[in-house]
Amino acid sequence: DAKTTQPPSMDCAEGRAANLPCNHSTISGNEYVYWYRQIHSQGPQYIIHGLKNNETNEMASLIITEDRKSSTLILPHATLRDTAVYYCIVIFSRDDKIIFGKGTRLHILP
Amino acid sequence: NAGVTQTPKFQVLKTGQSMTLQCAQDMNHNSMYWYRQDPGMGLRLIYYSASEGTTDKGEVPNGYNVSRLNKREFSLRLESAAPSQTSVYFCASSEDRALGWNTEAFFGQGTRLTVV
């Protein structure tokens, strides 16, 4: 079973920040949180990952709560090209079985 | 630098036929993976290979076999195709054992397989 829980779908207005939540209440101390997205039926694309601290790159920001039981992916200025399914994945540093959940389908509204 | 290349992109099989899906990566990655994705669903791990010469079962291995031919190539074989194996198949690779452990994973563009 997936180790994460995400809402099945969300809407966001174009130009606004999209905040995608993820619950991972069973996460342990050395497990990373990763975010990928899948546009249409293409192969998934890496977005960002983190362990304890908040992270930012050119695509997004990742906010991880202090207890690490949940996180939020932030797309600061959503565009129509950000319409995709977003997957939050918890990865144990030496776990070979990486499980995708069903993700959140993000709709960007013009 | 092509990344992860899957062949073929599309395939139609008759029930009972066999075929091999090919995957090659040119990034010198240790780990490679095969996933399937059914309509409206997330990706499910079929098999993975942490290094050349090793393979392990994922969530849904039944009906499939794999071969890690060398560091570059990881093939997925359907010995006797069934309609339930109609799906989109994705291959992925990453530098370390865990998919994207402290590094990102790269996915191919998928093979769309229909079994009639």
Side-chain angles (χ1 to χ4, degrees):
Chain A
D1 291 338
K3 300 179 183 178
T4 63
T5 303
Q6 299 177 254
S9 68
M10 294 183 63
D11 293 337
C12 179
E14 190 176 16
R16 297 282 194 163
N19 297 277
L20 291 87
C22 179
N23 288 322
H24 30 80
S25 59
T26 60
I27 196 170
S28 63
N30 52 0
E31 292 185 331
Y32 288 82
V33 179
Y34 277 75
W35 285 83
Y36 284 79
R37 72 180 182 183
Q38 188 175 25
I39 298 173
H40 299 302
S41 295
Q42 299 175 16
Q45 174 192 24
Y46 166 83
I47 302 173
I48 198 168
H49 75 283
L51 183 61
K52 296 180 180 178
N53 300 321
N54 299 337
E55 302 288 344
T56 296
N57 62 21
E58 65 279 3
M59 288 182 66
S61 295
L62 174 60
I63 308 298
I64 302 174
T65 58
E66 191 169 343
D67 64 7
R68 303 187 70 241
K69 292 183 184 297
S70 65
S71 61
T72 301
L73 176 74
I74 302 172
L75 308 177
H77 304 287
T79 70
L80 295 176
R81 288 177 294 181
D82 293 320
T83 295
V85 178
Y86 288 77
Y87 296 99
C88 169
I89 305 167
V90 170
I91 298 179
F92 178 54
S93 61
R94 291 298 179 186
D95 187 355
D96 292 326
K97 294 187 177 183
I98 311 305
I99 307 300
F100 282 76
K102 294 184 178 181
T104 295
R105 185 171 297 276
L106 178 65
H107 301 276
I108 305 300
L109 307 176
Chain B
N1 187 341
V4 179
T5 303
Q6 293 183 234
T7 55
K9 289 184 170 54
F10 299 94
Q11 184 71 49
V12 178
L13 288 179
K14 293 182 179 179
T15 298
Q17 286 184 318
S18 62
M19 80 160 295
T20 300
L21 281 64
Q22 306 287 351
C23 176
Q25 51 92 7
D26 60 4
M27 296 170 284
N28 201 37
H29 284 167
N30 287 316
S31 300
M32 297 186 74
Y33 312 81
W34 276 105
Y35 288 87
R36 63 176 286 175
Q37 185 172 35
D38 300 319
M41 303 288 289
L43 285 81
R44 291 186 291 172
L45 181 64
I46 305 172
Y47 271 94
Y48 59 97
S49 170
S51 61
E52 183 179 350
T54 68
T55 61
D56 287 286
K57 295 179 180 179
E59 300 174 88
V60 288
N62 291 343
Y64 305 95
N65 287 301
V66 290
S67 296
R68 185 73 182 267
L69 304 170
N70 47 56
K71 195 171 186 179
R72 289 188 64 248
E73 298 172 292
F74 188 38
S75 63
L76 178 72
R77 182 161 178 84
L78 287 69
E79 291 291 351
S80 179
S84 61
Q85 294 178 304
T86 293
S87 190
V88 180
Y89 292 84
F90 288 100
C91 177
S93 73
S94 67
E95 186 173 334
D96 205 272
R97 295 185 63 172
L99 184 64
W101 178 66
N102 212 24
T103 184
E104 66 183 283
F106 295 83
F107 283 79
Q109 287 306 299
T111 295
R112 284 148 182 80
L113 176 67
T114 301
V115 182
V116 297

